[in-house]
Amino acid sequence: MTRPIGMVEIRTKILAVLMAFLTFIGTSAVPAFAAPKPGVPTTPIQHLVVIFQENVSFDHYFGTYPNATNPAGEPPFHARTGTPTVNGLSPALLTNNPNLNPANGTGATNPFRLDRSQAVTADQDHDYTAEQQAFDMGALDLFPLFVGTAGPPPEGGGVTSTNGLNLGYFDGNTATAMWNYAQHFAMSDNSYSTGFGPSTPGAVNLISGQTNGVIATLNGTGDEVANAHRRRRSNRRRLLQSHARSGHHGQQEYR
């Protein structure tokens, strides 16, 4: 004699069948991804190349990117549609810059455009202490006074012959190749180093996050530099041929 099946029991059996069916569908519909093999990247990015300027600010080359003045007779630059702006020289910084501070003397100035005829400029100071003095506890208003270097070069007088020269900037009519590169690569307009000083400590800090107290470098002269240059070229060749390295830093090879 069979026992009548109650409605609750029927609903329970139907629910069990549905759960089994959904479980089967769920496991078969979701693709299975194998775990990545050790040493194999999970993204197409295999190498990260960081190119940074030596002894100059981001704004010196890219302050008004992607907007160039495009005067007649100079290579024009027109950014592709949708090119984002950078955190650079805003209208406020161009017209009411903190470095108008009278403490900068004759170098007190707003940022100003350097023409193609002024492509060669005197190098600014970038020593460990001087850079911190220029930052002025966050006011960022004493760059001409502490790290500015007066021209010539360039020729022409005016503000370029004062310590305010380091407030000058180029746009895409002079740094044309660099601006075109920027159309294809990421820009580090919001990269802020945690250290001060010259290039080598800066590069070490970029890679490792600290410099173990190094704040300066010793520059060689004469035969020492010539021999070192030959050694660097040989070392670089061996490094480029090697695949067993995690990173490499090269500097001061091309100006």
Side-chain angles (χ1 to χ4, degrees), residues 114-135:
L114 290 164
D115 188 72
R116 283 179 64 84
S117 63
Q118 301 170 305
V120 178
T121 64
D123 194 10
Q124 70 174 26
D125 186 10
H126 54 287
D127 289 336
Y128 180 76
T129 300
E131 286 189 350
Q132 295 179 68
Q133 292 172 315
F135 269 63

Side-chain angles (χ1 to χ4, degrees), residues 53-125:
Q53 305 162 104
E54 186 175 15
N55 308 354
V56 295
S57 68
F58 177 89
D59 292 341
H60 187 63
Y61 290 140
F62 293 105
T64 63
Y65 180 87
N67 301 309
T69 304
N70 293 326
E74 297 190 6
F77 176 85
H78 300 285
R80 293 184 296 182
T81 301
T83 297
T85 59
V86 297
N87 184 6
L89 295 174
S90 65
L93 289 176
L94 285 168
T95 58
N96 190 26
N97 197 277
N99 289 281
L100 285 171
N101 186 339
N104 289 308
T106 58
T109 182
N110 279 316
F112 56 93
R113 181 182 182 272
L114 290 164
D115 188 72
R116 283 179 64 84
S117 63
Q118 301 170 305
V120 178
T121 64
D123 194 10
Q124 70 174 26
D125 186 10

Side-chain angles (χ1 to χ4, degrees), residues 220-232:
T221 58
D223 291 339
E224 178 185 356
V225 173
N227 293 333
H229 179 70
R230 285 192 290 270
R231 288 195 299 271
R232 283 198 302 269

Side-chain angles (χ1 to χ4, degrees), residues 165-189:
L165 174 59
N166 62 347
L167 268 291
Y169 65 88
F170 298 109
D171 65 12
N173 306 127
T174 300
T176 313
M178 296 178 67
W179 280 41
N180 278 304
Y181 283 136
Q183 293 277 279
H184 302 279
F185 296 94
M187 300 281 279
S188 294
D189 54 327

Side-chain angles (χ1 to χ4, degrees), residues 210-230:
Q210 53 90 35
T211 66
N212 275 327
V214 175
I215 62 174
T217 55
L218 176 64
N219 295 321
T221 58
D223 291 339
E224 178 185 356
V225 173
N227 293 333
H229 179 70
R230 285 192 290 270

